[in-house]
Amino acid sequence: MLAPQATSAWMLDGDGFAPLILEAIEEVARSHRIDPSRIHVVGCSNGGYMSLKMVAEHPETFATSVPICCGIGARDGSDVYFISDDELAAMTTPTWLVHSADDTTLDAQANTVYAHKRIEGSIMSLYDNVTWDGITYPGHWSWIYVARNDPHHDGASVWEWMAAAKR
């Protein structure tokens, strides 16, 4: 597992960070016994954005993408976006989006639902809230569901789905 961290928000310099992340992935893959057809990209919040950015720029690299509470940018006519509609529509990497509807940090409808409608064949797990073991967490914490392997689709959990996928 490789978990790169940004020196600032990924969204602030996605064009600068994406090549560095790809370089790190390639270095780790060369240095360890890693099946290059089974490289997956998962990210939360800014990392959810970056997982989509990586797939948009390097679709041949990833077996799957799991953007969690991703930010794709405003669609308010201001041309402020991080992932364009054309980039979303061109994605062919199997994608499973996860978000909580009560997220007050990144609006689920404007980001995850919007992306899901444009990424053909994508899977989406949209939760009402983030509640685990009787505790309700802030809506932006929907990564809890992925960490606990909770999202399911067609009888498979998110981690089973990822494990079965090859590029």
Side-chain angles (χ1 to χ4, degrees):
M1 176 181 285
L2 175 64
Q5 301 298 302
T7 54
S8 66
W10 293 118
M11 292 173 184
L12 296 180
D13 193 16
D15 292 336
F17 285 131
L20 297 173
I21 295 169
L22 183 62
E23 184 180 324
I25 291 168
E26 290 171 344
E27 180 181 327
V28 170
R30 278 191 309 272
S31 303
H32 296 79
R33 292 179 39 167
I34 294 175
D35 181 348
S37 71
R38 291 181 177 270
I39 296 174
H40 307 269
V41 62
V42 179
C44 311
S45 191
N46 263 308
Y49 148 75
M50 186 50 78
S51 67
L52 288 172
K53 175 91 171 154
M54 294 302 294
V55 164
E57 293 190 8
H58 308 286
E60 72 288 348
T61 302
F62 302 102
T64 67
S65 174
V66 182
I68 306 163
C69 52
C70 64
I72 59 171
R75 297 310 203 263
D76 58 6
S78 65
D79 289 332
V80 177
Y81 57 82
F82 305 115
I83 304 290
S84 73
D85 287 358
D86 288 344
E87 288 174 309
L88 293 169
M91 290 183 183
T92 57
T93 300
T95 301
W96 190 327
L97 299 122
V98 179
H99 211 132
S100 177
D102 68 342
D103 186 338
T104 58
T105 303
L106 285 168
D107 180 81
Q109 291 294 321
N111 290 283
T112 294
V113 174
Y114 188 93
H116 171 63
K117 290 178 180 177
R118 283 151 184 82
I119 303 171
E120 188 174 334
S122 66
I123 301 166
M124 181 177 65
S125 294
L126 183 62
Y127 294 87
D128 291 333
N129 55 47
V130 181
T131 301
W132 195 265
D133 287 338
I135 300 169
T136 299
Y137 297 93
H140 196 57
W141 291 19
S142 52
W143 54 79
I144 288 173
Y145 289 120
V146 176
R148 300 294 182 139
N149 200 26
D150 187 72
H152 282 75
H153 177 76
D154 285 344
S157 70
V158 66
W159 294 107
E160 291 168 332
W161 174 80
M162 289 172 62
K166 285 179 123 175
R167 186 172 41 78

